[in-house]
Amino acid sequence: MSTDNPTLDTAPKTSNFIHQIIEGDLNGASAPTQIVTRFPPEPNGYLHIGHAKSICLNFGAADKYNGVCHLRFDDTNPEKESQEYIDAIKRDISWLGFKWHEEIKYTSSYFDQLYSWAVYLIEQGKAYVCDLDVEQARAYRGDFTTPGKNSPYRDRSIEEKIALFAKMIAADFAEGFCSLLAKIDMQSSNMNLRDPMLYRILNVSHHQTGDKWCIYPIYDFAHGQSDSIEGVTHSICTLEFEGHRPLYEWFLANLPVTNVPRQYEFSRLELNYTVTSKRKLKQLVDQNIVNGWDDPRMPTISGMRRRGFSAVAIRKFCEMVGVTRSNGVVDVSMLESAVRDDLESNAKRAMCVVDPLKITISNFADQACEMLSLAVHPKLDMGIRELPFSKHLFIEQQDFSEDTSLGRKKFKRLVIGDYVRLRGAYVIKADAVIKDEQGNVVEVLASLVPGTVGANPDPEFKPRGVIHWVSAEHAVPCELRIYDRLFTDANPDKNKEKSFTQLINPDSLQVISRAWAEPSLLEAQVEDGYQFERTGYFVADMDSTADKLVFNQTLPLRASKAK
Ligand code: ATP
Ligand code: MG
């Protein structure tokens, strides 16, 4: 199950419109020698399922067409970024099974080049230092219905603009005092072309460049140029950047660049019962609503990983949702079903009793222990596991009933006077119960039918059904963490009355502090996934210690119909 180093085929099997564009380009007159894509996260949080879609698209397209994909940190907002996020993002991409080309790229490595391009635009009369403050600048820009007005600073002499920009970089001005803008068109119907900002003063250290800069480029001024520097051919981003494309193209057309990439947009992945915004996920972490970015309830890649979702299942899901230009909300049950399919075929099997009822086998010797061998997986050759059988066992409380009138079809479990098979072990019959003072059944006395391990019993001993069990003396105590959806609302960030932080499901985490696992689970490694028979899919958690195993429920065995 652990997919730390998956030797996997990560190229998508299906085709999408981006693939068709690439194929057209590869067959066209000016075909690029190689497809180059990039995944450009801002290191201001952990990656989530939406990013997984973008990763699968960018790295997947490169894989499919023998191209390469860069990992570039779009690090132009040092205030919100950190090395912790950079490390987490690298870890998540590798875990998903993808490899970036060459060394990791940083937009900040291009700050010198971007700076000289800014000077170039000033020299060409295409950029200017503007002293309007935020309020004034907003008023000058106008809005969708009102055209903008030219800034009074627009027509300063080129020499003055160059001198002012030099002062900006020399830290002569306070933050917000002025900024560098492109001189495009204040009347444009596209707001992005109304003299957009290129550089702002920001007196903060940068995680990569330290205190070298006190001005930082705006995303729009950095992105296309970074693509160009890296030789990107297909710059794939989400639809909200569609309106930025003319600006992306304006910079490339007005700068002395050799490589001109093209931008293509696709729709963001959105899931119901989920928020997919780093900013909002950070709020959940900062307000301690969840236990960190990798809380198994989080839609982060690290959260899903800890929850027991495999990289294969996540990639499969991303392929299932497809790549289009139409926005829509995907049902989270689709992701769960991709995960369940993967676990059903690949997870090891084990037994764990959550709510124990003691069974004593009267015809089994007191101190005896019989080792039984069970397949780790019913279909795959994953070896065998040893299971101790002894006089005292645990089964689930709910797998026993005193009611002898219950029909065999209705209750396929243990009933006084009738037979049931213990999974991988004997057929047993319940003979009598022992009760406490309140009349609760605390123990069931049973007898086994000899010769029924791995063999069908005579018809008279035919069992009602099969139940799971563990040997009471050998069982290992463990903690189970059961998760439900984090939000009670299907669209938590679109609710008009309440903020998403007020729509938290109070039962999203339920801790069962003591369940009883078969001893083979002592060997479970962190991230090993299991099907606990009849109970659910579980994964070993990193909080496990020598004294106590901890398992996260990945998903129940079946999708619940209510939701
Ligand atoms: P967020 O709002 O979560 O911070 P973002 O777009 O600001 O997302 P970036 O770090 O800039 O985050 O994203 C890196 C890449 O991932 C971008 O190309 C972006 O378009 C893509 N991406 C982000 N969210 C999604 C999503 N929900 N579906 C598909 N792609 C996404
Ligand atoms: Mg962003």
Side-chain angles (χ1 to χ4, degrees):
M1 273 308 298
S2 179
T3 31
D4 254 345
N5 184 17
T7 42
L8 300 157
D9 178 11
T10 47
K13 311 283 173 295
T14 52
S15 187
N16 60 49
F17 83 94
I18 299 280
H19 296 154
Q20 281 146 23
I21 290 169
I22 293 176
E23 282 169 27
D25 291 345
L26 286 171
N27 295 323
S30 48
T33 45
Q34 188 184 38
I35 291 302
V36 182
T37 58
R38 86 285 170 269
F39 174 65
E42 184 179 355
N44 61 349
Y46 281 52
L47 299 180
H48 52 63
I49 184 72
H51 294 111
K53 174 171 172 177
S54 178
I55 292 169
C56 289
L57 175 57
N58 279 293
F59 285 90
D63 284 350
K64 184 164 176 160
Y65 298 102
N66 294 318
V68 297
C69 180
H70 293 293
L71 167 59
R72 180 200 318 141
F73 286 104
D74 218 327
D75 52 350
T76 55
N77 285 312
E79 285 164 301
K80 299 210 167 119
E81 300 163 2
S82 76
Q83 189 62 41
E84 178 200 345
Y85 297 142
I86 291 177
D87 295 340
I89 290 170
K90 283 158 56 178
R91 198 162 54 232
D92 289 346
I93 296 172
S94 300
W95 177 77
L96 270 179
F98 296 103
K99 286 196 182 72
W100 50 86
H101 185 54
E102 300 172 339
E103 77 283 14
I104 288 169
K105 316 287 183 198
Y106 294 87
T107 299
S108 56
S109 333
Y110 313 137
F111 280 174
D112 284 318
Q113 174 69 78
L114 291 168
Y115 175 75
S116 55
W117 275 335
V119 173
Y120 176 86
L121 285 181
I122 302 174
E123 287 165 356
Q124 300 290 309
K126 291 174 182 165
Y128 61 101
V129 174
C130 180
D131 302 356
L132 293 178
D133 64 24
V134 178
E135 285 297 303
Q136 294 167 321
R138 188 174 301 134
Y140 271 81
R141 278 190 92 206
D143 54 32
F144 288 107
T145 50
T146 330
K149 284 187 307 189
N150 285 354
S151 157
Y153 305 102
R154 210 175 193 246
D155 294 317
R156 283 166 158 165
S157 73
I158 288 181
E159 291 69 34
E160 190 185 358
K161 288 171 185 162
I162 290 193
L164 287 170
F165 192 43
K167 287 182 111 178
M168 268 175 79
I169 195 179
D172 282 358
F173 299 128
E175 254 178 44
F177 181 79
C178 56
S179 47
L180 185 73
L181 310 186
K183 193 171 174 180
I184 309 183
D185 179 5
M186 289 305 284
Q187 269 82 51
S188 174
S189 57
N190 183 338
M191 297 293 287
N192 295 304
L193 295 180
R194 293 189 190 174
D195 290 10
M197 195 184 283
L198 308 186
Y199 269 94
R200 80 277 198 208
I201 299 170
L202 212 53
N203 278 312
V204 293
S205 306
H206 188 284
H207 47 97
Q208 302 302 312
T209 57
D211 292 325
K212 180 169 176 193
W213 300 91
C214 63
I215 62 168
Y216 291 97
I218 296 296
Y219 168 88
D220 278 321
F221 186 62
H223 198 81
Q225 287 89 304
S226 303
D227 284 345
S228 174
I229 292 169
E230 291 168 10
V232 167
T233 54
H234 296 76
S235 178
I236 306 165
C237 62
T238 35
L239 270 175
E240 69 271 23
F241 292 104
E242 188 173 20
H244 295 240
R245 189 178 350 125
L247 181 56
Y248 182 100
E249 290 170 352
W250 189 90
F251 289 129
L252 296 172
N254 285 281
L255 290 171
V257 299
T258 41
N259 176 57
V260 180
R262 279 275 309 265
Q263 174 180 306
Y264 300 94
E265 308 88 19
F266 69 100
S267 60
R268 289 176 83 84
L269 171 64
E270 281 194 67
L271 286 177
N272 61 5
Y273 293 99
T274 310
V275 297
T276 44
S277 146
K278 277 181 272 169
R279 186 176 58 77
K280 290 179 182 159
L281 295 174
K282 185 169 188 303
Q283 248 174 286
L284 295 173
V285 174
D286 290 347
Q287 296 177 23
N288 294 317
I289 293 171
V290 295
N291 302 314
W293 286 96
D294 67 348
D295 185 304
R297 291 167 292 181
M298 290 280 269
T300 50
I301 295 179
S302 52
M304 294 187 289
R305 176 179 181 179
R306 197 167 170 189
R307 175 82 173 253
F309 292 16
S310 75
V312 174
I314 294 173
R315 291 204 311 261
K316 177 94 176 296
F317 166 73
C318 290
E319 198 162 345
M320 275 159 65
V321 297
V323 179
T324 67
R325 285 177 55 87
S326 47
N327 283 312
V329 180
V330 173
D331 196 323
V332 68
S333 63
M334 193 167 154
L335 171 60
E336 292 166 355
S337 115
V339 171
R340 206 176 263 114
D341 283 353
D342 175 51
L343 288 170
E344 171 56 30
S345 353
N346 299 311
K348 299 175 201 172
R349 304 306 199 252
M351 291 191 277
C352 179
V353 171
V354 178
D355 193 10
L357 172 63
K358 188 174 170 190
I359 304 282
T360 297
I361 310 287
S362 3
N363 56 346
F364 198 80
D366 271 359
Q367 306 299 326
C369 172
E370 182 178 344
M371 285 311 257
L372 305 169
S373 299
L374 269 75
V376 172
H377 193 280
K379 295 190 189 122
L380 303 180
D381 182 12
M382 295 174 85
I384 54 148
R385 58 193 219 261
E386 296 289 318
L387 207 60
F389 183 90
S390 66
K391 188 174 184 74
H392 302 290
L393 312 173
F394 289 145
I395 65 166
E396 300 286 353
Q397 294 269 3
Q398 60 177 25
D399 283 342
F400 172 75
S401 174
E402 280 188 277
D403 184 354
T404 50
S405 69
L406 281 171
R408 286 199 126 218
K409 283 237 166 66
K410 192 144 182 250
F411 192 74
K412 297 181 177 175
R413 315 176 198 183
L414 191 59
V415 175
I416 290 290
D418 210 350
Y419 297 86
V420 81
R421 167 155 325 259
L422 299 175
R423 165 76 77 206
Y426 292 94
V427 171
I428 62 166
K429 176 168 141 250
D431 301 312
V433 293
I434 297 175
K435 294 187 177 179
D436 64 12
E437 282 165 9
Q438 285 79 44
N440 302 311
V441 175
V442 290
E443 188 176 340
V444 175
L445 303 178
S447 46
L448 62 77
V449 184
T452 50
V453 176
N456 281 331
D458 290 341
E460 56 182 311
F461 308 128
K462 189 172 185 287
R464 284 181 167 234
V466 184
I467 61 173
H468 62 278
W469 60 280
V470 290
S471 159
E473 281 124 83
H474 303 90
V476 181
C478 63
E479 176 179 309
L480 303 183
R481 298 177 183 168
I482 313 290
Y483 301 99
D484 197 355
R485 292 189 174 146
L486 184 54
F487 297 102
T488 48
D489 191 308
N491 300 297
D493 49 5
K494 292 189 190 70
N495 190 296
K496 296 227 165 55
E497 272 110 55
K498 289 183 175 164
S499 117
F500 69 100
T501 53
Q502 294 170 303
L503 295 165
I504 300 293
N505 173 6
D507 301 318
S508 61
L509 169 61
Q510 186 207 340
V511 178
I512 297 169
S513 52
R514 186 168 262 224
W516 296 96
E518 64 170 74
S520 75
L521 287 171
L522 279 171
E523 272 143 52
Q525 302 291 312
V526 175
E527 288 179 28
D528 276 356
Y530 291 90
Q531 183 189 113
F532 288 174
E533 300 208 36
R534 304 175 66 236
T535 305
Y537 293 106
F538 285 82
V539 64
D541 189 76
M542 56 178 153
D543 287 346
S544 294
T545 60
D547 299 329
K548 191 194 219 172
L549 297 175
V550 178
F551 291 94
N552 295 316
Q553 186 182 62
T554 308
L555 287 173
L557 291 181
R558 272 167 287 278
S560 90
K561 291 193 191 76
K563 281 166 187 156

